[in-house]
Amino acid sequence: MSADTIGTPSTSSEVRVLPGTPCWVDLFTSDPATSKEFYGRLFGWTAEESEEFGGYITFSLDGQPVAGGMRNDGSDGQDDLWSVYLATPDIARTLAAATEHGGTVHVEPMAVADLGSMGVLVDAGQAWVGAWQADTFPGFTVRDRPGSPGWCELHTRDYEKAIAFYRDVFGWDPATMSDTAQFRYTTLGTEESRGGSQGAGIMDVTGFPEDPFPTTWSVYFVTADADAAAARVTELGGQVVQGPDETPFGRLVTCLDSTGARFKLVQNPQEGG
């Protein structure tokens, strides 16, 4: 591991994967080599490519998988981006429910060797999200520590419709965190109802400018020092779009990586003050 990465303790936190919770994130990148270099130097990730799965990249932190990556060849007109996958015990049923509740299926259920089955859908608010039914591979196995995913969040302009969609399709137990004109936010249940499992939220962005708040899922990666990590992003050829900002949920930074994929950094309140 490089000495210039931003905080990567050697211990891991076990992830409890419940239906509807984020279980995997992956990067769609037009330049895999550049992306591997960027995240390796930022978070201390190692990268392994699989010929069996078309060069799919598994990023690991201290030997534990935390994210994936695949080449964006530009054929579908999609920008480089991070995607979120939600766990499901029955992917065929989940994708069928998606069409019943205003979504569309982009990738039909597909077995990935003995690892599990994946599918991709567009939700009722036009945001892309993946579904994963695990077999031998549950998804990321560490969270809430520097260099790993800490939170996933949907930005939507169809707030009520999105809440109903994730409730009806993925079995969410929606919990309202805030319902003011300035800040409308719903979470995947409470910490108690999730049993400590990986969290996620839905934020209403109708009051924000179209950019930088597109209708999309966003991934927060934990850092021990948001300011140092933000500076490192710039040094590595990325861009800081917003922040660092102090919030009740931690110190937050919105970034673009070296190929333009958007991600967020979060320094939890207990980390470094």
Side-chain angles (χ1 to χ4, degrees):
M1 181 182 302
S2 172
D4 60 7
T5 55
I6 306 298
T8 50
S10 60
T11 58
S12 64
S13 302
E14 183 179 352
V15 176
R16 184 183 179 194
V17 179
L18 297 176
T21 60
C23 61
W24 191 242
V25 296
D26 65 16
L27 175 66
F28 202 39
T29 172
S30 55
D31 190 339
T34 294
S35 296
K36 288 190 290 184
E37 175 76 7
F38 179 88
Y39 290 102
R41 295 180 66 184
L42 181 63
F43 293 135
W45 291 355
T46 56
E48 182 178 354
E49 292 191 29
S50 170
E51 293 184 7
E52 179 183 2
F53 300 118
Y56 190 85
I57 303 165
T58 299
F59 292 109
S60 297
L61 179 66
D62 294 340
Q64 300 296 315
V66 290
M70 68 184 79
R71 178 179 292 278
N72 176 8
D73 64 9
S75 60
D76 64 359
Q78 184 70 264
D79 293 333
D80 287 4
L81 53 76
W82 278 98
S83 296
V84 173
Y85 292 78
L86 304 181
T88 174
D90 187 334
I91 194 164
R93 190 172 185 177
T94 294
L95 268 60
T99 61
E100 293 169 4
H101 293 282
T104 57
V105 175
H106 181 68
V107 177
E108 295 286 351
M110 178 177 65
V112 185
D114 65 346
L115 302 178
S117 296
M118 66 159 287
V120 179
L121 58 93
V122 179
D123 70 22
Q126 300 304 301
W128 294 66
V129 65
W132 178 253
Q133 179 183 331
D135 190 353
T136 62
F137 182 72
F140 48 67
T141 55
V142 292
R143 65 174 176 90
D144 295 335
R145 49 163 291 205
S148 72
W151 188 256
C152 296
E153 176 179 277
L154 172 64
H155 291 175
T156 181
R157 297 179 183 277
D158 291 288
Y159 182 67
E160 299 294 348
K161 188 184 293 185
I163 293 170
F165 181 86
Y166 288 94
R167 179 196 65 210
D168 296 336
V169 175
F170 285 98
W172 279 31
D173 175 23
T176 301
M177 174 185 289
S178 176
D179 193 22
T180 67
Q182 295 76 28
F183 185 51
R184 301 176 77 201
Y185 201 100
T186 290
T187 61
L188 195 179
T190 63
E191 189 70 24
E192 291 74 20
S193 69
R194 293 198 315 270
S197 66
Q198 174 72 358
I202 299 174
M203 184 167 72
D204 182 3
V205 296
T206 53
F208 293 90
E210 189 68 31
D211 182 49
F213 291 97
T215 298
T216 187
W217 276 88
S218 185
V219 182
Y220 289 75
F221 294 104
V222 178
T223 178
D225 187 331
D227 295 78
R232 191 73 179 126
V233 165
T234 302
E235 292 170 7
L236 294 172
Q239 179 182 344
V240 173
V241 176
Q242 183 175 345
D245 296 319
E246 198 65 43
T247 78
F249 315 106
R251 195 158 175 79
L252 306 181
V253 191
T254 301
C255 306
L256 301 179
D257 70 14
S258 49
T259 74
R262 188 182 302 270
F263 68 99
K264 294 177 182 285
L265 298 167
V266 56
Q267 177 185 329
N268 293 330
Q270 64 270 25
E271 295 278 356

